[in-house]
Amino acid sequence: MSRPRSILAAALALIPLGSLAAFPTVAAASSHPRARHAVKRHVRAERRHARTERHTPEASRRATVPRHRIRGFRGLHRGAAPGLAAHGTAAASSRSADIAAALATPCQNTELTPTSRNIELIRAAVLCLINRERGQNGEAPLATSPQLQQAAEGHSNELVSADYFDHVSPSGVTPVDRIRATGFIPSENVGYVIGENLAWGTLNLATPQSIVSAWIASPGHLANILEADYAETGIGVTPAVPPSLSGGETGATYAQEFGVIIS
């Protein structure tokens, strides 16, 4: 019989446009209250899931075990002004209504295992879970951007086809490069804030609920999810894991892009 195992890894970097920084192995703590409390949960999750491989004498083979890893990235354009809160009674009322709607929306299909036939359902489940977490922390829901969707889908597919797991491709393409290539960043003269959360999971750790729960339990990834400036997102899901990491197990690779353009 198979026994579950999970490995949780996180990385976060705040970098200006045009520069690269090494991603630390431990995510920086966010100032958000929920992110601060997530540190202990993250440690507990590592201890709970860091199990050794076991052999099954009856089958005379190594047990198949689920595995899991995540990474996070944030980029800030030089001169971009933080704090894009809407002003005015009408805007505040609309924002409150949007938050209430997100909290009232039940998240469906959160325990589905991704396949080539249900990717749209998986994306919708991830977005619902992300917006519910934002709503519970007083942040407005994110809208889907076609450009960020293109970047996310392209990266999740490339992680599998090129067999790596990182924000920067083997050829040096960064999240900023990928998002800029889609046209989301219209010119060099605009400010923007972007972020990216990555994850892969095998077997029962590949579901939307498992992936989003791992992100929420990691301070750096939670900081992306709860960033007040972000307005749009795109979610890519590929129903496979980079071959060198999968151990031959089925699973899925996720990429979520976050962004906002500052005029």
Side-chain angles (χ1 to χ4, degrees):
M1 296 292 293
S2 300
R3 295 186 63 84
R5 182 182 64 178
S6 174
I7 301 172
L8 187 65
L12 171 71
L14 177 64
I15 66 173
L17 177 66
S19 67
L20 293 178
F23 299 111
T25 56
V26 178
S30 167
S31 58
H32 199 287
R34 191 167 179 87
R36 291 198 301 269
H37 291 303
V39 176
K40 292 182 179 179
R41 294 201 305 272
H42 172 67
V43 173
R44 287 199 300 269
E46 285 200 17
R47 291 174 179 169
R48 183 175 65 251
H49 294 303
R51 301 180 183 174
T52 58
E53 293 180 354
R54 299 179 186 274
H55 292 266
T56 53
E58 299 81 4
S60 298
R61 65 179 179 83
R62 188 183 67 172
T64 301
V65 292
R67 292 179 294 171
H68 205 205
R69 287 182 186 154
I70 60 177
R71 289 184 182 273
F73 162 91
R74 297 182 74 198
L76 177 65
H77 187 282
R78 294 181 190 274
L84 303 180
H87 296 283
T89 304
S93 177
S94 174
R95 182 173 181 278
S96 296
D98 290 343
I99 292 174
L103 292 174
T105 301
C107 295
Q108 301 178 341
N109 304 307
T110 61
E111 298 295 345
L112 278 183
T113 298
T115 70
S116 60
R117 298 181 298 277
N118 64 7
I119 296 301
E120 290 301 323
L121 296 178
I122 299 294
R123 286 196 194 105
V126 171
L127 181 59
C128 183
L129 291 169
I130 293 295
N131 281 339
R132 185 169 68 185
E133 183 68 18
R134 286 177 63 88
Q136 289 172 346
N137 287 274
E139 302 298 347
L142 302 172
T144 298
S145 157
Q147 293 93 345
L148 294 181
Q149 185 72 36
Q150 179 184 342
E153 290 177 1
H155 195 44
S156 67
N157 288 334
E158 183 184 55
L159 291 175
V160 174
S161 63
D163 195 11
Y164 73 100
F165 184 65
D166 209 333
H167 301 286
V168 181
S169 75
S171 62
V173 177
T174 70
V176 176
D177 296 330
R178 286 193 297 274
I179 291 175
R180 187 183 293 281
T182 68
F184 180 79
I185 303 171
S187 75
E188 296 283 351
N189 300 320
V190 300
Y192 60 85
V193 184
I194 65 168
E196 178 179 83
N197 281 351
L198 303 178
W200 63 259
T202 62
L203 304 177
N204 63 315
L205 294 179
T207 66
Q209 184 65 68
S210 177
I211 296 296
V212 174
S213 292
W215 281 339
I216 289 173
S218 168
H221 300 84
L222 182 61
N224 268 343
I225 292 171
L226 299 182
E227 173 58 60
D229 286 352
Y230 293 149
E232 297 180 275
T233 190
I235 300 164
V237 183
T238 301
V241 173
S244 64
L245 304 174
S246 69
E249 300 164 359
T250 59
T253 301
Y254 291 68
Q256 181 169 17
E257 311 297 338
F258 304 86
V260 64
I261 297 300
I262 305 171
S263 299

